Amino acid sequence: MICSRRILLLALLLLACAPVHADENPPAFDGQMMSKYLLTQIRAQREAWREDYKQRTTPEAIRAHQQQMKRQFLAAIGGLPERTPLNPQIVETIERPGFRIQKILFESQPNHHVTALLFLPDEQQFPPPYPGIIVPCGHSTEGKANEGYQKGAALAALNGMAAMVFDPIGQGERMQMVDDDGKHKFVGVHEHLMVGVGSILLGENTARFEIADGIRALDYLQSRDDIMADKLGCMGNSGGGTQTAYLMALDDRIHAAAPSCYLTHLTKLIETIGAQDAEQNIFGQLAFGMDHPDYIIMRAPRPTLICAAKQDFFDIEGTRETYQDAKGVYELFDKPEQVDIVEVDAKHGWHQPLREASVRWMAKWLLEKEIEAAEPADLRVLSEQEARVTARGQVLLLPDEVSAYELNRRTNAAQQAGRDMAWRDDAAGQLAKLRASHNVPAWKDIQLRPTWIDQQARDTGGFTERPVVLSPEEGIHLAGWLLMPEFRSRRPVVIVDYAGSSSKGRAADLADQGHPVLSIDLRGTGATQQTKQTYGAPHFGRDVQDFYAAYLLGRSYVAMRAYDVAYAAKWLRQHVGSDEAVELIAIDRAGTPALHAAAFYPEQFGRVQLIRPLKSYSAIVDSGESLDRIMESVHGALTWYDLPNLVEALGEKVELDSPVGPLD
């Protein structure tokens, strides 16, 4: 409430004040500023994608594109874990009319178990071996026990194909943070997002866990004598459609694929519902030229069916456009019949007509025959209790089980000694690398743009104060207050506070002491704080979809906000006519971008006071759980630096006041 009043008062004051020129008005503040700013860049990448698509006019060009996309996709998720023994177990077999169900347990990574239900045809009607299909689950809490997912697998078994539906992390029996009684803390989207925060810092992605599980599920099917190793398929809906899209693009063993209720165009997605789950956003994919059609193009001309719901929140027009883009590529291979689309007039979901269409597609290309694949009205699958593979209902209750969070901890621990040594040996070189890696300009190349300053300053006795609006980039406006002492005797000071430029008491004290002070909002905070996004709240703040829009572009909020800090410092120095190093004060979650700004331009900042800053990126990974820290994360940071490395490199100029952990 206090923050809202402050923003309202600031906005009213800005609108009431006289600008520098009579014909100018202060920029209007908008909680959607960052969404609009990022969408403009996403649309530009979309046009670049379209131009590149038009240039690929031969099968040879498509083949080269396929290999390039696979390399960049895998690099963006941190590669894949090594294949280790699956140690599979058939826990139980349950008979149903026309098929049987085996409960399967295997390790996709050592002591990291996957729970699955394998639906097998009746051996009397369909002698083995069978084509094998994996069915990744969408975002259902019950995972593989979901009735619709089971029915899709059962329908395949009723028609002579084996189908295995398996739990992803965060669903079914694979919750990744549970107590001794098996009660979970996070589920589905929230678990994926939480795993994603630590994964981002390690240069990885929640998708890495899901893709690895799917690849190992294929390995398991191929290990069985009753499965045709060269007749494999994949079909899945929603989040399972995401996994299907990734797996079919990366694993050439998947001959037939049917992703459902996922594929659209990323621009359409951002324009409509915004960026979605952690694993659905691959770092920099728009920047390196990968959009949803590429998941099909990367496997062309293997048989692929797009399943879609006309009333889906995944935009149907984007889905149809993706189909047309894929169709054009398949025509280059003279195989237009091997890509198709089926639509149902319904909302999001793996509806019976889509399940039936998926199974018909699998039969056409794996059994090499046309079938009706009508789902029986009396088809009975397992209850959630019956579908349990583990005795206590959660893999984390198995002896020595390793969670996704623990796997991230181990990755970070393995990298720590190397990165600390690199910073000790060559701190100056590492700082130079830091600025280059974040793609920020040299100090001399920071170009100051027109600034709005209120001409009618308020005299408080020892100093004057006036609203100011900086515009470091086109479309970006930073609201703040400029406090000028009557007699300037000390260095200029920039104050940034994650809650916005609300530290007027602190600023006033400094101005009374003779410091010129600029208290400024960083982009997306204070007057420009995102107001409409609730996705992933409360653990991920109000900006997570904007964060992932930037992530798709290969950009970090830390770097963008650090640039705001540097821009403000350079502007203040010019405004007061000073060549002194600027003192910097950052409060709460503004500490991480402020520390980066000082590390980018160490010679330009004097004392750097960080009040209640985040202790370290490692603390996020070690905890597993964090609160509103995704905006401070940098993709791949922990592969070569942590926040204490920056503090140590900057030396005595940095003062840490009450550092906090990831849940503070």
Side-chain angles (χ1 to χ4, degrees):
M1 181 66 72
I2 293 173
C3 183
S4 298
R5 286 176 180 169
R6 185 191 59 75
I7 293 171
L8 178 60
L9 289 171
L10 176 60
L12 291 173
L13 180 57
L14 285 170
L15 291 173
C17 293
V20 175
H21 301 292
D23 59 347
E24 291 182 353
N25 289 311
F29 291 111
D30 185 352
Q32 303 309 302
M33 180 188 77
M34 286 304 296
S35 295
K36 296 173 182 176
Y37 167 80
L38 293 166
L39 184 56
T40 297
Q41 296 173 47
I42 287 170
R43 285 171 173 157
Q45 291 292 351
R46 175 76 179 98
E47 293 305 313
W49 185 94
R50 176 61 60 198
E51 288 304 311
D52 289 343
Y53 172 87
K54 292 177 181 177
Q55 298 304 312
R56 293 189 291 270
T57 58
T58 65
E60 292 74 22
I62 299 300
R63 295 293 189 202
H65 177 69
Q66 290 172 337
Q67 294 307 309
Q68 180 185 10
M69 289 297 99
K70 287 180 182 180
R71 286 193 300 270
Q72 291 183 288
F73 184 104
L74 287 170
I77 65 169
L80 291 172
E82 66 173 313
R83 282 182 163 100
T84 51
L86 290 166
N87 299 323
Q89 303 172 48
I90 300 174
V91 176
E92 183 183 0
T93 300
I94 299 175
E95 299 290 339
R96 283 287 190 265
F99 61 93
R100 66 191 189 281
I101 306 166
Q102 290 184 348
K103 298 181 181 181
I104 307 296
L105 187 68
F106 66 87
E107 298 176 37
S108 64
Q109 298 183 59
N111 291 318
H112 184 65
H113 285 86
V114 177
T115 39
L117 300 175
L118 177 59
F119 289 73
L120 293 161
D122 183 292
E123 290 185 345
Q124 298 303 313
Q125 184 179 2
F126 300 102
Y130 315 111
I133 305 165
I134 59 170
V135 185
C137 290
H139 290 112
S140 61
T141 300
E142 65 270 27
K144 68 186 178 311
N146 177 275
E147 181 181 15
Y149 302 148
Q150 287 194 67
K151 283 187 172 181
L155 184 60
L158 287 169
N159 287 277
M161 297 173 287
M164 187 167 73
V165 56
F166 57 97
D167 288 327
I169 59 171
Q171 295 167 234
E173 296 180 78
R174 299 188 68 211
M175 307 304 182
Q176 297 295 293
M177 196 176 285
V178 302
D179 62 21
D180 291 340
D181 296 322
K183 184 178 179 181
H184 59 267
K185 190 157 193 177
F186 304 107
V187 63
V189 169
H190 275 70
E191 182 102 82
H192 298 166
L193 285 166
M194 192 60 71
V195 171
V197 179
S199 297
I200 287 167
L201 291 166
L202 296 167
E204 298 177 357
N205 192 294
T206 302
R208 183 176 185 266
F209 292 98
E210 296 185 346
I211 293 167
D213 290 344
I215 288 173
R216 300 320 308 278
L218 291 168
D219 290 345
Y220 172 70
L221 290 183
Q222 284 192 318
S223 75
R224 293 179 58 120
D225 293 337
D226 56 352
I227 303 296
M228 299 177 183
D230 61 344
K231 295 287 187 180
L232 299 178
C234 183
M235 58 185 189
N237 180 73
S238 188
T242 306
Q243 294 173 66
T244 300
Y246 293 170
L247 289 163
M248 73 186 193
L250 294 173
D251 198 317
D252 292 342
R253 293 175 298 176
I254 296 174
H255 182 63
S260 176
C261 289
Y262 172 63
L263 292 176
T264 179
H265 255 285
L266 282 170
T267 306
K268 290 284 188 181
L269 184 74
I270 303 301
E271 288 175 336
T272 53
I273 59 173
Q276 295 294 292
D277 202 0
E279 73 270 17
Q280 295 178 341
N281 306 293
I282 305 303
F283 180 66
Q285 67 178 99
L286 286 173
F288 65 71
M290 188 173 74
D291 206 333
H292 278 204
D294 289 297
Y295 300 134
I296 306 175
I297 294 169
M298 286 161 70
R299 62 181 271 102
R302 292 182 180 86
T304 308
L305 175 69
I306 302 172
C307 299
K310 293 180 182 179
Q311 301 174 45
D312 203 339
F313 45 76
F314 288 109
D315 183 80
I316 188 63
E317 294 304 321
T319 304
R320 291 166 178 164
E321 187 177 352
T322 282
Y323 167 64
Q324 292 299 328
D325 290 334
K327 190 80 166 180
V329 170
Y330 276 63
E331 287 171 348
L332 288 176
F333 287 97
D334 294 323
K335 299 281 182 73
E337 75 284 357
Q338 293 192 184
V339 65
D340 208 347
I341 187 170
V342 60
E343 299 179 7
V344 60
D345 192 8
K347 294 182 179 180
H348 185 81
W350 208 24
H351 304 282
Q352 181 175 334
L354 297 182
R355 297 195 295 267
E356 292 172 341
S358 297
V359 172
R360 284 195 296 271
W361 189 259
M362 295 295 144
K364 179 177 180 178
W365 299 105
L366 300 180
L367 291 173
E368 298 181 10
K369 65 179 183 180
E370 303 281 350
I371 64 171
E372 184 179 349
E375 193 171 284
D378 60 350
L379 180 58
R380 186 168 67 90
V381 293
L382 303 182
S383 68
E384 188 170 355
Q385 182 65 33
E386 289 174 320
R388 275 191 175 185
V389 173
T390 62
R392 299 177 64 190
Q394 287 296 327
V395 294
L396 276 185
L397 300 181
L398 295 172
D400 302 319
E401 182 69 7
V402 177
S403 70
Y405 300 108
E406 176 59 22
L407 289 170
N408 278 347
R409 290 184 197 106
R410 293 179 181 184
T411 299
N412 183 47
Q415 295 172 337
Q416 182 172 351
R419 66 176 176 248
D420 288 348
M421 181 180 296
W423 281 85
R424 284 195 301 269
D425 292 347
D426 184 17
Q430 294 294 90
L431 286 174
K433 177 182 173 183
L434 185 79
R435 189 179 70 208
S437 69
H438 284 74
N439 197 31
V440 292
W443 181 264
K444 64 180 179 60
D445 294 327
I446 297 176
Q447 300 297 316
L448 299 181
R449 295 163 51 86
T451 301
W452 185 90
I453 308 177
D454 177 25
Q455 286 185 314
Q456 297 180 356
R458 186 169 71 91
D459 192 339
T460 65
F463 59 89
T464 60
E465 64 177 29
R466 65 181 76 197
V468 59
V469 181
L470 305 186
S471 299
E473 294 183 67
E474 183 69 30
I476 297 296
H477 306 298
L478 313 178
W481 294 89
L482 176 64
L483 284 67
M484 292 293 293
E486 184 175 351
F487 300 104
R488 184 172 78 83
S489 59
R490 298 193 179 186
R491 285 180 174 177
V493 177
V494 169
I495 300 178
V496 288
D497 185 344
Y498 197 73
S501 52
S502 58
S503 303
K504 290 191 67 178
R506 188 185 304 271
D509 289 342
L510 289 165
D512 275 333
Q513 296 168 25
H515 293 279
V517 180
L518 175 63
S519 179
I520 197 78
D521 291 352
L522 302 179
R523 68 183 71 198
T525 72
T528 60
Q529 168 68 60
Q530 172 62 248
T531 56
K532 293 185 177 180
Q533 293 177 8
T534 58
Y535 193 87
H539 268 86
F540 307 98
R542 292 182 287 175
D543 311 272
V544 67
Q545 289 182 296
D546 283 345
F547 170 87
Y548 272 120
Y551 191 78
L552 289 165
L553 290 162
R555 304 192 66 186
S556 80
Y557 261 75
V558 168
M560 289 187 285
R561 287 173 170 171
Y563 179 76
D564 293 343
V565 173
Y567 184 94
K570 187 166 187 176
W571 180 87
L572 181 60
R573 277 173 51 170
Q574 177 172 298
H575 184 76
V576 301
S578 171
D579 59 1
E580 299 171 282
V582 174
E583 295 194 5
L584 176 60
I585 299 173
I587 303 169
D588 295 324
R589 285 164 173 80
T592 297
L595 176 60
H596 279 76
F600 293 156
Y601 309 104
E603 68 283 357
Q604 307 301 333
F605 290 95
R607 187 176 70 118
V608 178
Q609 184 181 15
L610 307 179
I611 301 170
R612 297 183 297 277
L614 177 66
K615 292 178 182 178
S616 69
Y617 284 148
S618 290
I620 293 176
V621 176
D622 291 343
S623 171
E625 182 181 359
S626 58
L627 183 63
D628 194 13
R629 295 292 177 180
I630 196 168
M631 304 303 289
E632 294 175 76
S633 64
V634 172
H635 185 81
L638 285 173
T639 61
W640 68 287
Y641 79 93
D642 199 351
L643 302 181
N645 298 130
L646 307 188
V647 172
E648 185 176 348
L650 291 171
E652 295 181 355
K653 70 169 60 180
V654 179
E655 175 187 334
L656 301 182
D657 183 345
S658 306
V660 299
L663 288 169
D664 297 318

